[in-house]
Each structure stands twice: as C-alpha cells, then as structure tokens.
Amino acid sequence: MQKEMAKSYDPLEVEDRIYDFWIKGNYFHAEIDKNKKPYTIVMPPPNITGQLHMGHALDETFQDILIRFRRMQGYCALWLPGTDHAAIATEAKIVESMRKEGISKEDLGREKFLERAWEWKRVYGGRIVDQLKKLGSSCDWQRERFTMDEGCNKAVNEVFVRLYEKGLIYRGERIINWCPHCCTSISDAEVDFAEHDGHFWHLRYPLSDGSGFVSLATTRPETLLGDTAVAVHPDDERYKDLVGKTVILPLVNREIPIVADTYVEPEFGTGVVKITPAHDPNDFEVGLRHNLPIINVMDDNAIMNENAGKYKGLSRFEARKIIVKDLEDGGYLEKVEDIKHNVGSCYRCKTVVEPKISKQWFVKMKPLAEPAIDVVKTDKTKFVPERFDKIYFNWMNNIKDWCISRQLWWGHQIPAWHCADCGEITVSRTNPDSCAHCGSKNIKRDEDTLDTWFSSALWPFSTLGWPDKTPELDYFFPTNTLVTGYDIIFFWVARMIFSSVEQMGQTPFDTVFIHGILRDENGVKMSKSLGNGIDPLEIISEYGADALRFFLVTGNSPGNDMRFSSKRVESTRNFCNKIWNASRFVHMNIDDHDVKIELPKTLTTEDKWIVHTLNDVIKEVTENLDKFELGVAAAKLYDFMWDCYCDWYIELAKSRLMSEGESAQNARQVLVYVLDQTLRLLHPFMPFITEEIWQTLPHENEAEALLLAKFPEYKEENSYPDAANEMESVMEAIRAIRNRRAEMNVPPSKKAKVYIATNVKQIFENGKSFICKLGFASEVIVGDSFQIDGAVTIVTADAKMYIPMEELVDKQAELTRLNKELEATKKLLAQDEGKLNNAGFVSKAPQNVIETVKEQAAREREKIALIEAAIDALK
RNA sequence: GGACGUUUAGCUCAGCUGGUAGAGCUUUCGCUUGACGUGCGAAAGGUCAGCGGUUCAAGUCCGUUAACGUCCACCA
C-alpha cells in the first residue's frame, strides 16, 4: 500500500472501514484449537433497553484490551457477547409505551404482550450491539447470546428443577419487598436505602383495663390499622406488669395483646413497639414467635384496602396524613418529632418499597453460599483489586434466602405447575401434561417469572451450551476474567459464583477484575435523571474511538472511580495524531527502499538505545497487563512512543536517514522495526489506528491483520545496558545545553561552539553529531580540560561543557545561576555524605544502594569543583 | 453501628514488592529545527492531609486523627 498518508489522522474515515475488514476476515471468531490455550471472557450482557453509556465504554474497553492482548499472545481468545432481557426494566418500558397508546397489559393478555415484547427486543436489542462495535470491541459475534434465548431457557429450567429437587428452591409465604409501582416482588439486593426526612409520631395506646396507656412511637402511623400487638422487652422492669395485658388500638378499637420479645430495644424510644406483622419484616418475625394474626391493610398498589375501614381507597401516604389528624383529634398523639431515617425504594423505579406478605419462590442460600465463599478464600477466584473480596465475603456470610419469583410476564416463566385437584406442585424441565402426584390433567403453570439475575447467574456456562455437554463448554469453561464494576458484585458476580460452583462444580472464572465508575467532569455520578451523562458515541465521532479508549484506560487504576475530562480526551486524540505522523515519517523514509521489518546486523549506539528501551517497555507492558494494571501499561507506551521514539530516536536518526548507503538502510530498518513493535504493543489499547498503519507496513506474511500478529516479547539479546547509558549521557548533555540556551533566550538559529571536558571522551566523540544537531552547536570539541574565558559553563554527570558566547553572557546573571546550582549540588552532597557517615546505613543498606550513593557523592564533589572553577573564571 | 476507599504540582490523576517525587492540562518563555503547531525546545510549580511509630532509609509499612466519598446493616 503506497498511498499518501494524510497530514492528520482522521478516525471517522478509518474506523468503520477497519471494523468491516476485521469482520470480513472473521478474525474475532474463536474456534476451538487444542493446540492453543483458551482465554475466555464472557461479556456482562448489557440490557436490551439500554443505550451505550460511558459505563459500558469503560467496561468494554478493558475487556477488549485483555482479549486482544491474549489473542496476540497466541491464546485462543474468546470474548462472548450478549444481551440481557432485563425483566423489570424492559417490561416497564413496554408497559409505558402501551400506556401512551391507552392500553394495559391486562387488555392485551399475556401472549400478545409477549409478542410485543419480543418485537421490542428485535428492534432495540440490536441497537446496543451496534454501538458496542463503534468502540472496536472484538467480540465473537457468531456466538452472541441473549439471556432469554432457547439455550438460556433450557439452562434456567434445568437449574430450577435441580435446585427444587435438592430442596434448595421452595415456595412459601414470606414477607418480601414489594414494589407497588412495578407490581412485583423484588429481592433484597434490589432495594436501595436512602436517608429521608421523616417524622416520629409518638402515640398513646390506652390499656383495655382503663388503667392508663402505653406510649410508643412510629414513622408509619398508617400501618397502625394492621397492628396486632404491642411489644416490650421481657427484662424491661418498667413494663413487666403490662405483659399479658391488652391495649385498645386507637381509631380501630381492636383489643391487642402486649407481648414480651427480645427484639425490642429498651433503650430506644419508650421501649414499646407497635407490631404490624403484615407491613414490617421485623414485626413479621415477632408475629411468628407470638402467633399473632396478620392483617394486611393495603393492596398490590399500596392503596388502603377493606381492612383499612374508612381509609379504604386512599394511598398509604394520603392515609398517613388523615390518620395522624384523626389520632390528634382523638387525643392519641403525644408529640411529633422530626427525624431522618432510611427508606427503601425500588432500584428501578424509585418507588418506596412496601414490605408485603406474599407467596413467592425462594432459593435457600446458606448451602450455596458456603462453597462459594470457599472458592474465593482458596483463591480459585481472585478479586482484583483484592479488597473487593471483603465485600463479597460480607455479603455471602450474611446472605438471606433469595426471592426469585417476579409478578412479571417478560422473563423465564417458572417451570412449575399447580394441580387444581391435589394442590401439589409439579416441577419439570419440559411441559408436563399431568400432575406428577395425582395424575390429574387439571394443572396450570405458575404465572410468575424468574428474577432476571437468575438467568444471568448462569451466563458463564449457559452461553457455552450447558446443560448439554458441548465441546465449547469443555474447552472454554471455566472462563478466565470477568470484568465489571463494583456496583454489580452482589447482583451478578456473587450469583454467578455460587451458581457455577453448584452446577458445574467449579468456579466460573479465575479473576474478577473490578473497575470503578466513570463520573462527569465535576465528579458527579452520571445519571439519566441528572442528565449529566456523556454519550460515548458523540465522543467517538468527535475524537475517535481510540482516543476515547486510551483516555478511559490511562490514569485509571483498578477499582477506583474516574472523572471524564474532555481536555484529556483531546490529549489522547493528539497522541493518535502523533502516532499517525510518526508513521507518516517512517513511510517517507522507507517507501522508496526495499526495507524489511527486522533489525540490521550492526547497530549504532542510538539504535541500541532505542532497542534496549523498547525491550524494557515490552517487559513492563506485559507485566502490567498480566496484573491488570492497564493504566500503567498504557502510560509506559505513551511515554515510549512520544518521548523515546518520536522526540529522540527519530531526531537522532534523521541525519543518517538523509545519507546514503548501509548506515541509512540500517536506520530505516530500526525505524520501521521499532514502529512495528510499538504498534503491536499499542494495538490492544488503540486497535483502529494501529491496524490502519500496520497494514501499510511491509509486514511480509506473518498475519493478515495486526490483531492476529504476535505480541512482542522481551528478549535478552535486545538488551544493551551499556550503550543505553552512553546514549543517556549524550542526551543529558543535549538537554543541559538546550536548557541553558533557552534560559538565555538564544534562538536555535544562533549556533555556538561547544567544548566538552570529560573523562569518557569516546562517548562524546560518538555523540558529536547529535550534540551539533540537537544542541545547536556549530562545532563540538571534546578534550580532557579547557580553559575558556567568558563562556557559559554547563555541568552534567559526565561532562563539563563550555559555550563561548561572550556577547550573550550577562556575567552577573551567570554568577547567580552558578551559585544557585552550586548550592543545590552541595545540598545533595550533604545528603549523600550524611548517609555514608551513618554507621547504620553503611552496615545495613544493601551493597548496590551504598555503591550508588558513593557514585553520586563522587559526581557531586566533582561537579562542585567544576562549578567553583567556573565561578572563579568569571570573577 | 460495621467495612472500605480517597487525601500527592493551580486542575485531573499516576506512583508495583520502602532507596533523592511523575504525567496530562493550565501558566510563562523561545521556535517556519525537512512527520506532526492536534507540533518542537525549555521553565515555573509539591514539608506527598495532620500526628505518632517501625526502619540505616517512609508518598510507599504500622497505629491514630480529620475531611470527603462508597458499600453493608438498620432501632420501631
């Protein structure tokens, strides 16, 4: 490919074309290859209701980096994508869209509703997938799955039946969290607690015997209608005599007992609690212990029901107001206190959750949690960063049974059939036609569907074909890395682990890589309701996907949140452009020559320096990717590409490249070799631009695409520490010269002689041409020592340099500067001498550290002498 | 109530197993240096939140305090 490269990189022109190229080549597809080691990531399936947001972009970028890295390393790398049916969220959206048309779920009926839902999925489910592609995600799209597809449904039914048969799934009447808006039960994990301003209403319940009253307080006076007792602590001396007596429930005039229960905290409030078993989980427990009646005073929409008497038909909040008024009028209200207290709400719709007694399906968690704790304890699954295992343990250790049934239509319908004749339940993998207990044909399927997370919990193996014994399952499972945000550890990660341990007998992945969330420029969490979300697609169209990806990964450390910054995206965009132009320069130099991508036989010092430095970078990048320090790896590459390759090596090589013959040819080869290696290293981070450029390089037939090319490896033979040090000495001298010239405002066009006194003459003899070009010297004279009056003196570790620029030297300014430098150097020397005079340091510090300090001190002494000499000369 | 995180340059953040503090942006100065002004060269700017400890040596390890933040639990 010999086309002229544009002056600046245009991601819009490149990205879709390159993505098509990858897709056409089927390069993302992972076919079982027994000669390779598998590396598998299952994608956290985004909701079909969702639009791509920055959270996805972050998550996808990390996964794509890991997958591309392993693929290039020669693993059979499978990144399995898919989407989640998101039961509540999707159903809510569909109901909402129907409401606009004036129809309800019930109008439509279950079957028609589901048709509509599937149609909705067909239309919108693909949208998010298309958006993922814009990021460059190298997923195996042939293996794309959906949590409600046939295979997943089979897995769900299998697990349900197995757990049921083991007695780990049961159906029972419990108090659960009910969302009156979504009209379904939700699990404990789906309730968000937030502090709200509320009131503490202090009430008086008269004793039935007329001997007075008891005082108690409540935050929810409307539940009084369902009170069936009043409780005190059994050891509370104040109320000992009251236990066994009864009180008259205000407004309702029902006689209810005073019971003794240790649940009551005597120190809190008055030490008396009203007990409403139907509307409070703790009260429910008390009710069970004391055999109290349960009076439910609300319906499914949290509207007061017939048990609420005259309050029937009011919402719970309207009822509260009126009841408080009535209590006040009746003289039952002692006082009202303002308090802040936690209120639970539905994580989907934010409606205040109502505890409700209801017949639901549950998973018995204790037996599942124990082995799941064990696999993390024994490091079969590791959290990165490690601290997140505490969160996991904490949740798993305190786990309660999981309410899995939902009163929704969109989801996996529970594979249980109720018999109208014997009342028994038949649970079956396939649709039964009769009751397994009495044989009656009069059976009806349970209406409820399963919690979305029940199916996502099986994702790592259901997507590989389980419950069938597929070759994929055998080869790719257990998977390797799960990448996700910390906000989803309970919902998903924990459930995948216990499901897999139970069903597969092993952990689903060896590493859980946890990242933080992306916040807006002000550090505020991005949210739809605040409208502060930043659309990744807009950023991509403005700066390119590679720039966005590189931004997301740099400066991001595992587990920590990160702020969006358009300034920083701009700078990563500039980095893309830098890479582009470096490549353009390489092309200008190699296009008319026959250049292979391989190191020449002989290398100059600067060649050795860049090869050596690259070799180190390869090692560091690989090590950091291995331990999920993606940000560190990216930063190393940024520095290497920009500072080492562009700012130094290309500049150092220019004069050779302008020449003819072997030296020029060698330079071309090193130039293109290092570029090739760097593009490979950068490819996982910035796939589009690196592929685009790599395709134009003479890469022979190693691979059709960069994404399939070999990831660089550290090689001992590419290590040239001595040459690298020599080069650094020359570079240090050049930097020092530039520094002085800049301080004195000498323009590059004004060249000057440079005298270099050094005891490593050879190094500076070799570096002469570089010092001339990059240090703007008209001539470089290297010797043992010089005596030059009126010159600027510059001292580095290995050299004392004089630049005679009499007319430019302001003697006073130069003296001031030299004195300043003298002081600074003396200070350093004092520090080093302090160490060397410290008996503890000399006897206990490692030998190499002592040596380094000694060398430094020697240099500093030398430098001090030189500066003093320079000061004398000026005077 | 419990657990965890953060506190480093004006801003946003890196800094792995302890050995003389880094980047990007910003600011200032200089530059038609043969890929790039989305650039090049340079400068300024930090008692690494406070206190105490371990160590020859602490931004890094331990303890403690403070501020901010997150998660879990939840007292009616």
Side-chain angles (χ1 to χ4, degrees):
Chain A
M1 207 188 288
Q2 281 276 359
K3 73 175 176 187
E4 189 76 11
M5 288 177 78
K7 199 168 175 182
S8 57
Y9 175 59
D10 177 11
L12 285 181
E13 191 277 319
V14 170
E15 289 175 358
D16 287 348
R17 176 164 49 75
I18 289 287
Y19 203 84
D20 279 349
F21 163 69
W22 290 328
I23 292 290
K24 287 208 179 83
N26 203 22
Y27 303 134
F28 302 157
H29 179 60
E31 199 49 59
I32 294 172
D33 181 346
K34 299 276 187 193
N35 297 315
K36 288 183 176 178
K37 271 178 78 174
Y39 177 79
T40 312
I41 295 179
V42 289
M43 176 190 291
N47 292 353
I48 50 168
T49 57
Q51 290 261 41
L52 189 78
H53 56 66
M54 276 295 174
H56 296 123
L58 186 69
D59 203 49
E60 300 298 320
T61 297
F62 287 152
Q63 292 174 68
D64 198 41
I65 289 169
L66 293 172
I67 274 289
R68 285 179 186 269
F69 168 55
R70 296 302 180 193
R71 188 186 290 124
M72 290 177 76
Q73 278 192 324
Y75 288 82
C76 179
L78 168 63
W79 184 13
L80 199 151
T83 47
D84 192 293
H85 66 282
I88 297 186
T90 308
E91 181 151 329
K93 285 223 165 175
I94 297 166
V95 168
E96 175 62 22
S97 76
M98 283 165 33
R99 199 184 55 82
K100 284 180 188 152
E101 295 169 36
I103 40 176
S104 71
K105 263 169 79 177
E106 287 68 27
D107 293 340
L108 218 54
R110 186 167 191 140
E111 205 171 310
K112 291 273 180 211
F113 176 85
L114 285 177
E115 272 173 30
R116 200 172 167 124
W118 278 105
E119 175 59 16
W120 200 89
K121 188 261 166 190
R122 199 186 59 75
V123 175
Y124 295 108
R127 185 177 56 180
I128 188 118
V129 167
D130 290 338
Q131 293 173 335
L132 291 177
K133 292 176 179 172
K134 293 279 177 198
L135 283 163
S137 306
S138 63
C139 313
D140 187 347
W141 296 111
Q142 287 176 38
R143 299 188 190 274
E144 184 186 340
R145 296 292 298 272
F146 176 53
T147 53
M148 243 170 82
D149 65 24
E150 207 178 309
C152 286
N153 185 247
K154 193 172 167 187
V156 162
N157 288 342
E158 179 68 28
V159 169
F160 189 94
V161 173
R162 282 189 184 189
L163 291 177
Y164 182 79
E165 285 171 353
K166 257 185 126 170
L168 293 176
I169 281 182
Y170 62 90
R171 187 169 186 250
E173 193 151 71
R174 297 289 132 91
I175 189 149
I176 46 91
N177 305 295
W178 182 265
C179 175
H181 179 259
C182 302
C183 257
T184 177
S185 59
I186 55 179
S187 69
D188 294 346
E190 289 167 320
V191 181
D192 283 338
F193 281 96
E195 199 168 73
H196 281 71
D197 289 322
H199 302 286
F200 222 9
W201 285 276
H202 292 258
L203 310 179
R204 288 176 175 167
Y205 282 20
L207 291 157
S208 314
D209 61 11
S211 62
F213 55 84
V214 291
S215 289
L216 52 78
T218 179
T219 53
R220 301 197 55 197
E222 72 280 10
T223 63
L224 163 154
L225 304 173
D227 282 4
T228 53
V230 161
V232 297
H233 193 278
D235 300 334
D236 194 331
E237 293 299 329
R238 293 171 295 178
Y239 304 118
K240 262 215 153 115
D241 298 341
L242 293 182
V243 176
K245 290 190 174 182
T246 58
V247 292
I248 302 291
L249 190 56
L251 308 185
V252 184
N253 290 325
R254 188 163 63 232
E255 192 175 346
I256 58 175
I258 298 173
V259 299
D261 196 287
T262 52
Y263 155 70
V264 182
E265 295 247 3
E267 309 305 323
F268 190 88
T270 59
V272 184
V273 187
K274 65 192 257 324
I275 301 297
T276 322
H279 295 284
D280 182 280
N282 290 308
D283 292 6
F284 178 76
E285 297 295 326
V286 175
L288 286 181
R289 285 195 284 274
H290 298 274
N291 244 323
L292 300 173
I294 295 167
I295 301 173
N296 184 356
V297 297
M298 294 174 212
D299 68 12
D300 287 353
N301 300 305
I303 303 296
M304 306 313 284
N305 66 13
E306 60 284 355
N307 291 329
K310 70 174 198 174
Y311 305 102
K312 183 183 173 195
L314 297 172
S315 80
R316 42 191 172 157
F317 304 116
E318 291 163 348
R320 180 178 298 173
K321 278 185 208 150
I322 296 169
I323 286 171
V324 168
K325 176 85 174 37
D326 289 350
L327 285 166
E328 193 175 5
D329 292 348
Y332 300 109
L333 184 63
E334 208 168 75
K335 62 173 174 176
V336 185
E337 196 184 336
D338 289 338
I339 55 154
K340 283 188 187 301
H341 66 141
N342 274 340
V343 178
S345 53
C346 172
Y347 85 125
R348 277 290 168 209
C349 71
K350 304 299 165 208
T351 304
V352 173
V353 162
E354 188 60 47
K356 179 174 148 68
I357 292 176
S358 156
K359 203 170 239 187
Q360 301 285 346
W361 291 88
F362 296 87
V363 175
K364 201 182 274 182
M365 285 309 304
K366 275 273 179 280
L368 292 170
E370 276 166 29
I373 289 168
D374 206 50
V375 294
V376 177
K377 266 199 180 139
T378 55
D379 275 352
K380 291 188 179 79
T381 290
K382 283 194 192 114
F383 280 86
V384 176
E386 215 170 334
R387 63 181 138 94
F388 287 101
D389 59 12
K390 283 204 179 105
I391 293 180
Y392 174 81
F393 289 138
N394 182 50
W395 194 71
M396 278 295 205
N397 283 322
N398 298 302
I399 199 158
K400 291 185 193 138
D401 285 358
W402 175 18
C403 176
I404 50 169
S405 44
R406 297 289 178 275
Q407 289 64 56
L408 301 171
W409 286 347
W410 179 240
H412 293 280
Q413 194 171 356
I414 290 177
W417 284 260
H418 302 279
C419 177
D421 291 334
C422 72
E424 292 289 330
I425 292 171
T426 302
V427 165
S428 169
R429 289 170 178 80
T430 51
N431 292 6
D433 50 15
S434 60
C435 172
H437 302 87
C438 69
S440 160
K441 303 268 184 206
N442 199 2
I443 56 171
K444 191 166 173 265
R445 186 161 188 177
D446 196 294
E447 294 267 311
D448 289 354
T449 52
L450 288 163
D451 182 0
T452 300
W453 301 100
F454 192 92
S455 56
S456 12
L458 319 180
W459 193 242
F461 47 97
S462 63
T463 51
L464 291 169
W466 191 87
D468 295 336
K469 284 192 191 312
T470 61
E472 280 77 11
L473 191 65
D474 186 51
Y475 184 74
F476 292 111
F477 189 88
T479 71
N480 297 87
T481 311
L482 181 88
V483 180
T484 192
Y486 55 68
D487 49 339
I488 213 164
I489 293 176
F490 309 131
F491 282 119
W492 194 42
V493 179
R495 284 165 180 167
M496 279 192 285
I497 294 177
F498 70 66
S499 299
S500 178
V501 169
E502 169 69 16
Q503 305 305 332
M504 308 297 293
Q506 55 186 324
T507 180
F509 25 70
D510 54 56
T511 305
V512 182
F513 177 40
I514 302 282
H515 58 251
I517 59 167
L518 199 75
R519 297 170 175 276
D520 73 3
E521 305 238 12
N522 301 314
V524 180
K525 192 172 172 175
M526 292 187 193
S527 75
K528 214 177 255 179
S529 53
L530 286 175
N532 63 341
I534 292 155
D535 182 357
L537 299 173
E538 273 176 32
I539 300 299
I540 288 171
S541 62
E542 194 175 349
Y543 300 99
D546 290 327
L548 174 62
R549 289 168 62 115
F550 208 75
F551 157 74
L552 289 170
V553 73
T554 43
N556 192 334
S557 53
N560 287 358
D561 289 353
M562 178 189 193
R563 285 186 202 205
F564 182 79
S565 157
S566 49
K567 281 276 184 199
R568 283 195 42 222
V569 181
E570 213 172 282
S571 78
T572 52
R573 186 272 317 264
N574 294 352
F575 181 48
C576 294
N577 198 47
K578 190 72 185 173
I579 297 168
W580 183 256
N581 275 291
S583 309
R584 199 155 72 98
F585 176 79
V586 172
H587 269 292
M588 288 171 56
N589 284 282
I590 66 170
D591 282 354
D592 297 330
H593 301 85
D594 183 22
V595 180
K596 279 188 188 153
I597 304 181
E598 62 183 21
L599 284 175
K601 296 271 184 296
T602 52
L603 296 176
T604 61
T605 308
E606 70 273 22
D607 292 341
K608 285 178 180 167
W609 169 77
I610 193 72
V611 169
H612 174 90
T613 310
L614 169 68
N615 204 32
D616 279 352
V617 168
I618 290 169
K619 191 173 171 202
E620 284 174 331
V621 167
T622 307
E623 283 173 357
N624 280 294
L625 286 175
D626 279 339
K627 57 183 179 185
F628 301 96
E629 288 286 354
L630 311 192
V632 177
K636 303 257 182 213
L637 281 167
Y638 182 94
D639 291 344
F640 176 77
M641 182 70 198
W642 204 311
D643 297 342
C644 299
Y645 187 69
C646 293
D647 289 348
W648 281 102
Y649 185 74
I650 286 182
E651 295 306 327
L652 293 170
K654 271 181 182 169
S655 44
R656 262 203 301 163
L657 290 165
M658 302 301 158
S659 70
E660 303 272 320
E662 197 185 327
S663 172
Q665 180 64 13
N666 287 353
R668 283 181 212 115
Q669 278 183 222
V670 175
L671 197 66
V672 73
Y673 171 84
V674 176
L675 178 64
D676 169 81
Q677 292 278 299
T678 310
L679 290 174
R680 290 168 194 247
L681 292 167
L682 281 166
H683 182 259
F685 300 90
M686 328 179 91
F688 291 111
I689 187 171
T690 50
E691 182 75 76
E692 169 75 1
I693 295 168
W694 196 77
Q695 288 300 335
T696 66
L697 295 182
H699 54 265
E700 304 290 318
N701 294 321
E702 183 199 330
E704 291 168 50
L706 177 55
L707 92 162
L708 301 176
K710 203 163 176 299
F711 200 75
E713 281 173 9
Y714 177 85
K715 289 186 188 130
E716 198 53 49
E717 74 232 46
N718 283 340
S719 181
Y720 300 101
D722 294 340
N725 282 335
E726 285 176 23
M727 199 63 230
E728 292 288 350
S729 285
V730 174
M731 288 161 64
E732 190 193 352
I734 292 169
R735 282 192 201 101
I737 294 168
R738 284 169 171 173
N739 178 342
R740 290 298 294 124
R741 293 177 57 103
E743 275 180 5
M744 299 190 307
N745 281 328
V746 187
S749 52
K750 186 151 183 80
K751 312 263 187 225
K753 276 189 185 175
V754 176
Y755 294 86
I756 302 178
T758 175
N759 40 26
V760 283
K761 279 188 281 188
Q762 197 53 49
I763 292 176
F764 288 92
E765 286 290 348
N766 291 343
K768 262 186 180 175
S769 63
F770 302 135
I771 296 168
C772 274
K773 181 145 195 289
L774 304 178
F776 311 104
S778 53
E779 190 185 349
V780 174
I781 303 103
V782 179
D784 290 311
S785 69
F786 297 96
Q787 185 61 51
I788 295 155
D789 289 336
V792 175
T793 309
I794 305 165
V795 181
T796 67
D798 297 312
K800 181 190 182 189
M801 298 178 284
Y802 305 93
I803 306 181
M805 287 193 292
E806 294 85 347
E807 71 277 20
L808 288 164
V809 179
D810 174 339
K811 279 202 177 187
Q812 205 45 52
E814 181 65 1
L815 265 177
T816 311
R817 188 194 67 81
L818 283 169
N819 275 312
K820 207 174 138 195
E821 199 177 350
L822 182 65
E823 286 314 304
T825 314
K826 277 183 172 168
K827 222 170 152 183
L828 287 175
L829 178 63
Q831 276 177 19
D832 287 339
E833 284 180 335
K835 282 184 190 170
L836 293 169
N837 291 332
N838 181 336
F841 177 75
V842 178
S843 61
K844 291 187 179 171
Q847 208 41 238
N848 64 322
V849 174
I850 296 173
E851 284 309 313
T852 310
V853 175
K854 276 185 182 166
E855 280 166 30
Q856 275 172 18
R859 279 190 185 152
E860 281 148 7
R861 275 191 211 99
E862 205 175 331
K863 189 168 176 181
I864 287 166
L866 293 169
I867 296 172
E868 279 170 348
I871 290 171
D872 283 347
L874 266 182
K875 279 176 182 164

